[in-house]
Amino acid sequence: MESDPDASPEIEEGRYLYCLVRADEGASLETAGVDGEPVSVVVEDGIGAVVHACDGLYDSADLAQVRRWLVHHQTVVDEAGEAFGTPIPFQFDTILRGDDATVREWLRVESATIERYLEGLADHWEYRIEVVEIDPVDDETLIERDERLRDLETQIDDAESGTAYLLEKKRDQRLATVRAARRESVAADLESRLDQVAREVHALERSPSAALADDVTGGGEHGPDGEALCRFTVLAHADDEGVIGSVLDDVAAIDGLEVRFTGPWPPYTFAPALGDADNGGGPTP
């Protein structure tokens, strides 16, 4: 896989890759792709590559345009999933140099890996979970619940100003520790419970940088008044979506917490790395 952030490689003829699916010869997908391009399904021995013909990467300084391309990409992958079952999705702007014959040859070369993942991912989807604290527990409540904090408060009340100042610093440090421990406890408990009902669970950064992918998956939309306590992406069978929802209902019942649950998404996080394609470095959901 070639990627050069400083230049867009020239491509005389290529195929923009959306996803791989199980498909019979002659399969088609009636939808428009990125920039309205006609989408086709190139099939080799029961594996279909959903593609459109192209001659370059999709690169623009216009962020709104890139977002539109990303949404179009995701729409095609979603429709392929509805038509053929769980797809192996590609990142936005992944292109294979060559024509349909090149795609078929590439499918033959990668067939063992593709078959393994198509079988393993069948009827499984990706779900995104974010727990946000929208109403933080106030300091007074934390002090009431923690013996060490209560002792510090008593000492502060009885101390001279200089000593009280140092004790207040200790209290503030302890408050930060207690808040962190609460966050870690919520995250650890949720991850443990998700492990029991999902096939795979991956923890994500609590405060990710802004990404185009959020436009598609709905990530990072809790707003400035909320703090993400934890974020996960899980791979689960479609039949287990309700069970996962029940686990999240228990978390959402905790005062001050809000749970965001999105999906099903194509399993981007759990898809294999397949080589010999150019990629423009675009984000994935």
Side-chain angles (χ1 to χ4, degrees):
M1 179 125 0
E2 302 171 8
S3 180
D4 182 353
D6 299 320
S8 296
E10 294 183 0
I11 301 172
E12 291 185 4
E13 183 173 15
R15 293 296 182 268
Y16 181 103
L17 301 172
Y18 292 95
C19 60
L20 301 174
V21 296
R22 290 199 181 280
D24 297 325
E25 194 66 43
S28 63
L29 188 64
E30 299 300 324
T31 189
V34 174
D35 255 2
E37 294 289 343
V39 171
S40 62
V41 183
V42 180
V43 179
E44 178 64 29
D45 195 22
I47 299 174
V50 179
V51 306
H52 77 244
C54 65
D55 57 9
L57 294 172
Y58 287 87
D59 186 22
S60 174
D62 183 350
L63 194 59
Q65 175 62 73
V66 177
R67 284 194 174 102
R68 286 192 292 271
W69 285 338
L70 179 63
V71 171
H72 293 161
H73 174 98
Q74 182 61 37
T75 298
V76 173
V77 177
D78 286 342
E79 293 190 16
E82 292 179 7
F84 302 105
T86 306
I88 296 176
F90 287 99
Q91 295 181 359
F92 166 70
D93 218 8
T94 300
I95 293 171
L96 186 68
R97 294 174 183 269
D99 55 12
D100 287 355
T102 305
V103 175
R104 292 190 180 92
E105 174 60 25
W106 180 71
L107 291 176
R108 284 193 290 271
V109 171
E110 298 285 352
S111 62
T113 299
I114 296 170
E115 283 284 358
R116 184 169 69 253
Y117 273 86
L118 283 174
E119 181 177 357
L121 292 172
D123 298 321
H124 286 72
W125 301 89
E126 182 168 347
Y127 299 87
R128 293 293 181 99
I129 297 162
E130 183 175 34
V131 180
V132 179
E133 188 170 42
I134 56 174
D135 186 14
V137 179
D138 58 41
D139 291 350
E140 290 74 15
T141 300
L142 291 179
I143 291 170
E144 289 175 5
R145 295 174 179 175
D146 186 80
E147 182 177 358
R148 188 169 170 187
L149 283 170
R150 292 198 303 273
D151 289 343
L152 284 169
E153 280 293 285
T154 300
Q155 293 175 48
I156 290 169
D157 291 339
D158 296 336
E160 299 292 334
S161 60
T163 303
Y165 175 78
L166 295 176
L167 290 170
E168 286 170 356
K169 289 291 186 182
K170 288 186 176 180
R171 178 199 58 195
D172 293 344
Q173 291 173 355
R174 178 61 182 173
L175 280 167
T177 298
V178 169
R179 289 188 185 281
R182 177 175 179 269
R183 180 176 66 242
E184 292 167 5
S185 175
V186 170
D189 180 65
L190 177 55
E191 185 170 11
S192 176
R193 296 185 64 186
L194 290 172
D195 274 330
Q196 298 175 33
V197 296
R199 181 168 138 186
E200 292 186 48
V201 179
H202 289 182
L204 303 172
E205 292 182 12
R206 284 198 306 119
S207 301
S209 57
L212 290 174
D214 292 339
D215 291 346
V216 177
T217 61
E221 293 182 0
H222 50 80
D225 296 329
E227 178 187 4
L229 297 187
C230 55
R231 299 171 66 243
F232 298 98
T233 183
V234 305
L235 179 69
H237 195 282
D239 291 344
D240 294 327
E241 181 177 325
V243 180
I244 293 173
S246 295
V247 170
L248 299 180
D249 285 343
D250 292 341
V251 178
I254 300 174
D255 289 343
L257 299 187
E258 178 180 279
V259 176
R260 300 192 68 253
F261 180 36
T262 63
W265 304 109
Y268 282 92
T269 303
F270 308 93
L274 298 170
D276 298 330
D278 290 307
N279 183 270
T284 55

